[in-house]
Amino acid sequence: MALWFDEARLDDEAALATIDLRLRSLAAGGARVRLEVHEAAAASGAAIARDRDASRPRAVIAAGPDSRLLRAVLEAWCPVPFVAWPGPALPGWAGALDLVVMLAPEGSDSGSASVVAEAVRRGAQVVVACPPASLVADHAAGRYSTILPTTSGDQLATAVVMLDYLEQVGLGPRTAAESVARALDEVAVACSPYADLAVNPAKMLAISLADTAPVVWGGSVLAARAARRVAESIRRASGRSALAGDAEHLLPVIEGARARDVFEDPFADGGGDQRPLLVILEDGADEPVVREQRGRLRAAAQSRGVRIETVTSDAETGVGRYASLMLQGTYAAEYLRLGLVES
């Protein structure tokens, strides 16, 4: 059976009720950030005071599968060498002079548990954000270990907890957890199912996504990370292709699109092929290389008649802008899922 997009479902109360739980979960993102940061701060105040006064580690190693988000935030700022190590073990040189940090939102991954146990054996300082009664927490127990307790299983909220800790001990930039939560709240209001199609940016983006093969680009490191998450959400929601990558990886896709023919019959053979849609995640980055890449993508899209959609955020911090862009794209993916029906 073929899928077609029924945009009327995006404002239909009965249809919206079928994805109510997913939309509620998205809307609660800001609350999860506030809850996790508050509870982690209450439980780890003594550890933060101790680590703030301690000498700086030789290096910071972000271990585990969620290490790439920490790298996107910390790599350009951390005052000591920083490395993301998502593999199943630590680098051979890691030891007692280093700090190993890990995000484990669920706390049940045996690979992550093995890595923190290895860090403890080597005598490294270990800081893990995870549920306090979990497999990872059990393996992280040690003299130089700190558990930042989390309970929601939310990857972003868990990352904000860790970033807040690293800021307070002088190893990370300003996180402003409340501004991240506020950015998520603002998206939840703007993209609410109760905001009708005419004023809801996520619903309008879902309509643009409906008959296209989106390519998603973000210029800054964090926007690029958000682009990958948005593309993943679109693929899960629709079962269709959605690409994210650097400009040089996306340009061939755009340049290879057939030039648009306004007289083309969309129902004729070959006329219904999905064309690319360029989705730009704009977080205000204005470095020369970002401007140049953005310009090349826009020029290529315009020359081939490829539509361009821009998702923006003016949140206070880089993490806030990342959170806002990612959540807007996730809302759009959910509305895309809702609108796709079998014919």
Side-chain angles (χ1 to χ4, degrees), residues 151-201:
T151 56
S152 68
D154 185 303
Q155 193 253 15
L156 176 61
T158 304
V160 173
V161 166
M162 179 64 74
L163 292 169
D164 187 63
Y165 163 85
L166 292 172
E167 175 195 352
Q168 293 187 65
V169 299
L171 293 173
R174 179 169 174 264
T175 304
E178 176 57 30
S179 77
V180 176
R182 198 160 51 242
L184 292 170
D185 290 345
E186 290 170 357
V187 173
V189 171
C191 300
S192 164
Y194 303 107
D196 66 35
L197 203 109
V199 297
N200 190 316

Side-chain angles (χ1 to χ4, degrees), residues 1-342:
M1 291 186 178
L3 289 177
W4 65 284
F5 189 80
D6 182 2
E7 66 182 62
R9 288 172 58 82
L10 304 189
D11 281 339
D12 181 85
E13 291 185 7
L16 287 166
T18 64
I19 61 168
D20 182 68
L21 290 178
R22 285 196 291 269
L23 294 179
R24 285 178 183 270
S25 177
L26 295 181
R32 288 193 294 270
V33 168
R34 291 186 181 93
L35 175 66
E36 297 287 34
V37 169
H38 174 75
E39 293 190 350
S44 59
I48 289 173
R50 177 199 67 208
D51 296 340
R52 185 187 296 123
D53 296 334
S55 59
R56 283 181 174 171
R58 175 180 62 178
V60 176
I61 304 160
D66 288 321
S67 60
R68 291 183 179 89
L69 175 55
L70 295 180
R71 178 176 64 187
V73 179
L74 295 169
E75 195 167 42
W77 195 96
C78 189
V80 300
F82 176 90
V83 60
W85 204 265
L90 292 174
W93 49 264
L97 299 178
D98 305 307
L99 168 63
V100 176
V101 299
M102 176 179 284
L103 306 180
E106 301 294 338
S108 58
D109 179 56
S110 58
S112 297
S114 175
V115 170
V116 295
E118 182 182 352
V120 170
R121 285 196 302 271
R122 295 192 193 185
Q125 183 185 353
V126 177
V127 180
V128 183
C130 67
S134 66
L135 179 68
V136 171
D138 291 344
H139 282 73
R143 180 179 179 183
Y144 305 108
S145 299
T146 299
I147 303 297
L148 304 177
T150 63
T151 56
S152 68
D154 185 303
Q155 193 253 15
L156 176 61
T158 304
V160 173
V161 166
M162 179 64 74
L163 292 169
D164 187 63
Y165 163 85
L166 292 172
E167 175 195 352
Q168 293 187 65
V169 299
L171 293 173
R174 179 169 174 264
T175 304
E178 176 57 30
S179 77
V180 176
R182 198 160 51 242
L184 292 170
D185 290 345
E186 290 170 357
V187 173
V189 171
C191 300
S192 164
Y194 303 107
D196 66 35
L197 203 109
V199 297
N200 190 316
K203 291 181 180 180
M204 290 188 285
L205 179 57
I207 293 172
S208 296
L209 294 170
D211 59 351
T212 62
V215 291
V216 192
W217 177 82
S220 71
V221 175
L222 276 170
R225 180 70 183 163
R228 294 183 181 93
R229 296 297 302 277
V230 169
E232 289 169 8
S233 296
I234 294 170
R235 289 194 294 269
R236 285 196 300 267
S238 66
R240 298 174 175 175
S241 66
L243 301 177
D246 298 332
E248 59 266 27
H249 299 141
L250 301 181
L251 276 169
V253 178
I254 296 172
E255 293 169 345
R258 292 179 296 104
R260 181 178 290 279
D261 181 357
V262 296
F263 299 106
E264 181 179 73
D265 181 355
F267 300 103
D269 291 342
D273 292 347
Q274 290 181 347
R275 291 175 54 77
L277 168 72
L278 174 59
V279 181
I280 295 177
L281 303 188
E282 184 63 77
D283 66 350
D286 200 38
E287 291 82 0
V289 65
V290 174
R291 289 200 305 271
E292 188 269 340
Q293 291 177 351
R294 186 193 300 117
R296 289 170 61 202
L297 286 167
R298 284 186 173 276
Q302 290 165 356
S303 71
R304 308 304 293 176
V306 170
R307 282 186 293 169
I308 303 171
E309 293 287 345
T310 303
V311 181
T312 63
S313 172
D314 58 358
E316 183 180 343
T317 64
V319 179
R321 292 188 288 275
Y322 163 82
S324 174
L325 293 172
M326 184 178 68
L327 188 58
Q328 290 181 67
T330 307
Y331 263 107
E334 288 301 329
Y335 290 130
L336 175 63
R337 185 201 305 270
L338 178 65
L340 289 172
V341 293
E342 292 182 346

